Amino acid sequence: MSAPAPPPSHTPSPENPPSTSQLSEVRAAISSLLSQPSYDDGSAGPVLVRLAWHSAGTFDKATHSGGSNGAGMRWESEGGDPANAGLQHARAFLEPIKHQFPWITYSDLWTLAAVVAIEAMGGPHIEWKGGRTDFADESDKRIPPRGRLPDGSKGADHLRWIFYRMGFNDQEIVALSGAHNLGRCHADRSGFDGKWVNNPTRFSNQYFRLLLANDWKKKTLDNGVEQFVYVDEDTLQDVREANDGKEPSAEEIEEATLMMLPSDMALLDDAKMRVWVEKYAKDKDLFFDHFAKVFAKLMELGIQRDANGNVINTDNVRDGYKSAPKKSDRPTAPEKDQNKGQIGHEAAVLKEQNREKWAKL
C-alpha cells in the first residue's frame, strides 16, 4: 500500500472544495489501478462505474432523498440491498486511493472513479464536480431504503417507475442503459450471467448495435432466472480454424455467448424507447454526447450547488466537507439478505408502490 499523500494545501469544505491539482492527483491514482488482471475481464473499470451508478441511483425527487451524497453503501442498510451484491469489490479497489488521499470523501471518490474509468475505457469525458460529504454513521436518516434500483427482470413500465422517480425521461433511460457496454453479470450476484458485448472493458455503442442486430433467444438459467442469449457463430468458427477444425470447448462457447436482460429487450419492445436505441446504434457520437450529459446528471442527483458550483445542501454546509475514516482493504460483503439478487425480491415492494403512485398521475 502506498504512503498517504501529504496533507492538502487547504482543508476542503463546501466553500473551499478540493483544488484542481489535488483532484488531478486522485484522478491519476484511479487510472493507475484500473488494470486488474485477476478480476473479471482484467479491469476494475466496469465495476467502478456500477458502484457510482448504484450509489447515485437511489435518488427520489419527491422526497429529495438518496443519491451519491453520503456514500451510504458503506453500511448494511444500503450496501445489503441485493441489487448491490458484488460491489464490495469496487469499494475495496478504491481503498488504496482512500489511504493515499484520506481527505477525499468516499462519495466524491466513488463518483470521480466512475467518470475517470469511463473515459479511460474509451468513453466520453464527463463533467464532474466535487463537494459531497460522507454520512457519519449508519443511523443517519438520509441513508435511502432498499429497493430503489432497477430490476433487470422487468420491462419498460418498471424502468419508467424507477427512472421517472429520479427525474429522467425515456431518452435518458435509454442513454443510461448504454452503460451495459461495460462489464458482465454474475449469477451469484444479480442472478444473471454473462456479458452484453464482445469487449466489456471498452466503452462504445456496440450494446445498441447488438441489441438490434442479433436474434436473441430466451434462456432459463439453472437458478431459474430468465435472460436472452446469442451465440456468435463467427467467433466459434474462428476458434475452429485456430484449433484445426476441433469443436470449441464449453469455455470457448461461453466466451462466444452474449446476453441481454429482459429490461434490455424492453427497450426494443417499447416504441418510444426503441427510437433512441436505433439512433444510438447508428450514431456513436450522438450516444456519447447524450451519455456524458445524463451520467453527469445522475452523479449530481440530490446535490444542490450555488452559481460557483459549491455544494449548498443544508447538512453539507453545516457539517463541512466531512471525509469518513478509511474502511477495510478486503472486499467485505454485507452479511444479511443478499439472496440471489433482487429478482422478485425487495424491488417487488417498490414496484407496487410505484404502480400505485403513477396510476394517480
Side-chain angles (χ1 to χ4, degrees), residues 53-243:
W53 205 127
H54 282 216
S55 177
T58 58
F59 180 69
D60 177 15
K61 67 178 183 180
T63 61
H64 212 73
S65 61
S68 62
N69 204 32
M73 206 187 300
R74 289 171 290 138
W75 295 293
E76 176 72 37
S77 53
E78 183 180 343
D81 187 324
N84 291 328
L87 287 179
Q88 67 270 20
H89 298 284
R91 298 192 295 270
F93 281 139
L94 293 173
E95 285 302 324
I97 308 298
K98 180 66 173 177
H99 173 78
Q100 188 177 357
F101 304 97
W103 51 266
I104 195 169
T105 62
Y106 275 106
S107 46
D108 267 356
L109 177 59
W110 292 355
T111 52
L112 178 59
V115 301
V116 169
I118 288 169
E119 189 167 2
M121 291 185 287
H125 173 78
I126 298 171
E127 183 179 353
W128 178 90
K129 297 178 182 178
R132 299 163 187 79
T133 194
D134 289 341
F135 297 152
D137 56 61
E138 192 169 6
S139 66
D140 198 304
K141 295 181 179 179
R142 292 171 294 177
I143 295 176
R146 298 180 184 181
R148 287 186 173 184
L149 295 166
D151 184 338
S153 70
K154 307 301 182 183
D157 286 344
H158 171 77
L159 292 177
R160 289 191 171 97
W161 290 324
I162 295 291
F163 286 90
Y164 284 10
R165 186 205 72 231
M166 290 185 262
F168 294 115
N169 59 32
D170 289 351
Q171 173 263 313
E172 292 171 317
I173 291 173
V174 179
L176 278 174
S177 297
H180 286 172
N181 279 287
L182 301 173
R184 62 172 65 230
C185 291
H186 303 78
D188 61 346
R189 301 177 192 177
S190 66
F192 302 104
D193 187 56
K195 58 186 180 180
W196 287 272
V197 301
N198 301 97
N199 186 348
T201 64
R202 183 70 179 173
F203 197 85
S204 69
N205 67 336
Q206 189 187 31
Y207 163 77
F208 298 109
R209 292 188 281 111
L210 294 175
L211 188 57
L212 287 168
N214 291 341
D215 182 19
W216 299 97
K217 303 294 186 183
K218 183 179 291 187
K219 178 181 179 180
T220 301
L221 304 181
D222 292 341
N223 58 12
V225 172
E226 290 185 343
Q227 64 183 46
F228 292 81
V229 299
Y230 172 79
V231 180
D232 189 342
E233 290 296 335
D234 289 339
T235 299
L236 293 181
Q237 184 57 36
D238 290 341
V239 171
R240 293 186 186 97
E241 293 177 359
N243 293 342

Side-chain angles (χ1 to χ4, degrees), residues 14 33 90 129 145 275 281-282 316 322:
L33 64 75
K129 297 178 182 178
V275 168
K282 293 178 181 177
N316 293 55
K322 183 180 292 183

